[in-house]
Amino acid sequence: MNDAPLLLITRPIADAKPLSERVRTLGYDTLIHPLLDIHPLPTAAMPLEGVQALLATSANGIRALGHHPAIATARPLPLFAVGPATKEAARHTGFTDIHQSAGDGEALAQLVMEHLKPSSGPLLHLAGQITSGILARRLSAQGFEMRRSTLYDARPVETLSADVCARLKDHTINGILFYSARTADVFMTLYGKAGLGVSVLSSITAYCLAPPVARTLQSGGFGTIVTAPHPDEQALLSCLPPIS
């Protein structure tokens, strides 16, 4: 019988699998239940003319670009990526001039401002259909011309699985990892639809990548909400109690 604490991983499947492997090396058991399904949009417009650099706030945008007809034209451009997972996806897709920031749009905007000038040309954000808008607002305010290519759609799943519901009711899930405010919002919506009651989450710790994620869960009834000291995966996983 496995007595290791069980963590629920809510990331899209391409990100959930390597995360699960990493968490298991820390002594935890994992249950993968993606709350967003990623659908590439291979006919998305790619306004590359005059662009000085590409910006990627998610590995999903890079993976979707890898299937786009414009990939050969885009690949020689400098690429500014959020976090190591996005950087690795870019490297795997064939990009070589890659600049990595910490794990949120604010950090990426700061990195761009340190390396690029508005006068050198527009920036193209490789995005999903729904974004926070932080990156565009910050860089537009500094005089950069921002363009956007909507390369994928992150669609919420319709229900929590029967297995997840059963484990929640049995209090066998010890913690849940949340990487985005949208995923947190989807979880709370599906949790409400499942009719599990307000007390089920009281024994569970929510581990959140950044403060906006934690705020989304604030009234959800979690026993504890832990926010990473920095918005990156290493910092988030450092919040997990060590397994003796």
Side-chain angles (χ1 to χ4, degrees), residues 86-102:
T86 308
K87 179 181 179 180
E88 177 59 22
R91 188 197 63 77
H92 184 74
T93 307
F95 286 89
T96 56
D97 188 359
I98 307 170
H99 307 261
Q100 179 195 323
S101 77

Side-chain angles (χ1 to χ4, degrees), residues 34-101:
L35 298 181
L36 298 173
D37 288 330
I38 305 302
H39 296 263
L41 303 174
T43 60
M46 283 286 291
L48 289 168
E49 184 177 357
V51 165
Q52 62 166 315
L54 306 175
L55 313 181
T57 46
S58 167
N60 295 313
I62 299 294
R63 296 186 192 110
L65 177 59
H67 300 285
H68 195 281
I71 179 59
T73 304
R75 198 177 277 128
L77 290 169
L79 187 138
F80 288 74
V82 163
T86 308
K87 179 181 179 180
E88 177 59 22
R91 188 197 63 77
H92 184 74
T93 307
F95 286 89
T96 56
D97 188 359
I98 307 170
H99 307 261
Q100 179 195 323
S101 77

Side-chain angles (χ1 to χ4, degrees), residues 147-169:
R147 297 177 184 176
R148 175 176 164 180
S149 179
T150 304
L151 287 166
Y152 67 94
D153 183 17
R155 301 173 189 172
V157 300
E158 295 183 358
T159 60
L160 293 177
S161 72
D163 186 27
V164 168
C165 288
R167 289 171 182 261
L168 287 170
K169 289 173 67 175

Side-chain angles (χ1 to χ4, degrees), residues 5 19 51 68 75 116 123 125 144 159 184 203 205 224 234-235:
L19 174 59
V51 165
H68 195 281
R75 198 177 277 128
L116 303 178
L123 304 173
H125 181 194
F144 286 93
T159 60
S203 62
T205 299
T224 306
Q234 180 59 42

Side-chain angles (χ1 to χ4, degrees), residues 5-233:
L6 178 63
L7 297 182
L8 179 63
I9 293 177
T10 60
R11 303 208 73 192
I13 192 63
D15 298 305
K17 288 182 176 179
L19 174 59
S20 176
E21 293 173 3
R22 190 173 184 191
V23 169
R24 284 175 176 269
T25 66
L26 300 176
Y28 287 82
D29 196 7
T30 60
L31 175 63
I32 294 175
H33 184 43
L35 298 181
L36 298 173
D37 288 330
I38 305 302
H39 296 263
L41 303 174
T43 60
M46 283 286 291
L48 289 168
E49 184 177 357
V51 165
Q52 62 166 315
L54 306 175
L55 313 181
T57 46
S58 167
N60 295 313
I62 299 294
R63 296 186 192 110
L65 177 59
H67 300 285
H68 195 281
I71 179 59
T73 304
R75 198 177 277 128
L77 290 169
L79 187 138
F80 288 74
V82 163
T86 308
K87 179 181 179 180
E88 177 59 22
R91 188 197 63 77
H92 184 74
T93 307
F95 286 89
T96 56
D97 188 359
I98 307 170
H99 307 261
Q100 179 195 323
S101 77
D104 65 0
E106 287 281 0
L108 184 60
Q110 184 61 41
L111 182 68
V112 168
M113 288 185 286
E114 291 171 0
H115 286 79
L116 303 178
K117 297 179 180 179
S119 59
S120 297
L123 304 173
L124 179 61
H125 181 194
L126 310 175
Q129 286 196 333
I130 297 176
T131 69
S132 68
I134 292 173
L135 183 65
R137 288 194 298 271
R138 288 279 282 115
L139 291 175
S140 295
Q142 297 300 314
F144 286 93
E145 178 187 340
M146 294 296 297
R147 297 177 184 176
R148 175 176 164 180
S149 179
T150 304
L151 287 166
Y152 67 94
D153 183 17
R155 301 173 189 172
V157 300
E158 295 183 358
T159 60
L160 293 177
S161 72
D163 186 27
V164 168
C165 288
R167 289 171 182 261
L168 287 170
K169 289 173 67 175
D170 292 343
H171 300 281
T172 53
I173 291 175
N174 302 95
I176 306 177
L177 297 172
F178 292 103
Y179 277 59
S180 72
R182 188 176 181 216
T183 299
D185 183 63
V186 170
F187 176 83
M188 294 310 307
T189 298
L190 298 182
Y191 181 83
K193 287 173 59 177
L196 296 173
V198 295
S199 64
V200 170
L201 298 180
S202 62
S203 62
I204 296 175
T205 299
Y207 295 96
C208 303
L209 187 70
V213 185
R215 287 194 293 270
T216 303
L217 300 171
Q218 202 65 54
S219 60
F222 282 94
T224 306
I225 297 177
V226 175
T227 305
H230 307 288
D232 61 64
E233 184 167 280

